[in-house]
Amino acid sequence: KYGLIIISASEAEAPLDFKDGCTAELFIECHGLKNMDLLSQSDPMCVVGMRAHWGGMFQEVGRTEAVTDNLNPKFTQTISVDYTEAKPIELQFTIYDIDNTKSDVKDQDFLGVMEVMLLELTS
């Protein structure tokens, strides 16, 4: 195994039109990622997906910036997710090594993935 994905969350102000729920602001960092590049270090980026019901597909809700030549990135771009405690939400954090910003993320080198229930981060 290579690397560690660390997620922390804090409650943020929910949008005015989201009266019955909360907003979580997600902070993402990684440690010890595998180096996928030959002449430099990996350029990691995190894609965050959300699944609101079991058996459904993860839908992308945000991306961090790509951090150049760094195997221990602490991403500055946070991701906001609206939720209610009555509706369980599963999050997926997928880390890619971005070598070509013009290519689809699925064409980039895969570095790792983590799935967690949002309530585990906010409680």
Side-chain angles (χ1 to χ4, degrees), residues 28-67:
I28 305 162
E29 61 183 283
C30 303
H31 295 282
L33 294 176
K34 183 176 183 180
N35 188 18
M36 301 296 285
D37 294 343
L38 294 176
L39 301 176
S40 63
Q41 293 184 340
S42 293
D43 309 311
M45 177 183 77
C46 182
V47 177
V48 180
M50 180 174 79
R51 177 166 54 194
H53 56 85
W54 299 112
M57 299 291 292
F58 282 100
Q59 301 296 315
E60 185 176 324
V61 294
R63 296 177 180 200
T64 66
E65 75 281 7
V67 179

Side-chain angles (χ1 to χ4, degrees), residues 1-5 31-36 110-114:
K1 291 184 178 181
Y2 291 97
L4 178 66
I5 302 171
H31 295 282
L33 294 176
K34 183 176 183 180
N35 188 18
M36 301 296 285
F110 172 81
L111 292 175
V113 65
M114 179 181 119

Side-chain angles (χ1 to χ4, degrees), residues 33-103:
L33 294 176
K34 183 176 183 180
N35 188 18
M36 301 296 285
D37 294 343
L38 294 176
L39 301 176
S40 63
Q41 293 184 340
S42 293
D43 309 311
M45 177 183 77
C46 182
V47 177
V48 180
M50 180 174 79
R51 177 166 54 194
H53 56 85
W54 299 112
M57 299 291 292
F58 282 100
Q59 301 296 315
E60 185 176 324
V61 294
R63 296 177 180 200
T64 66
E65 75 281 7
V67 179
T68 305
D69 294 331
N70 196 325
L71 302 180
N72 302 294
K74 186 171 185 176
F75 300 103
T76 58
Q77 174 69 42
T78 61
I79 308 296
S80 295
V81 177
D82 296 331
Y83 70 98
T84 64
E85 291 186 11
K87 185 176 179 183
I89 292 176
E90 187 176 9
L91 296 172
Q92 181 182 65
F93 301 87
T94 308
I95 310 297
Y96 295 97
D97 174 23
I98 304 300
D99 291 321
N100 183 344
T101 58
K102 294 185 170 125
S103 295

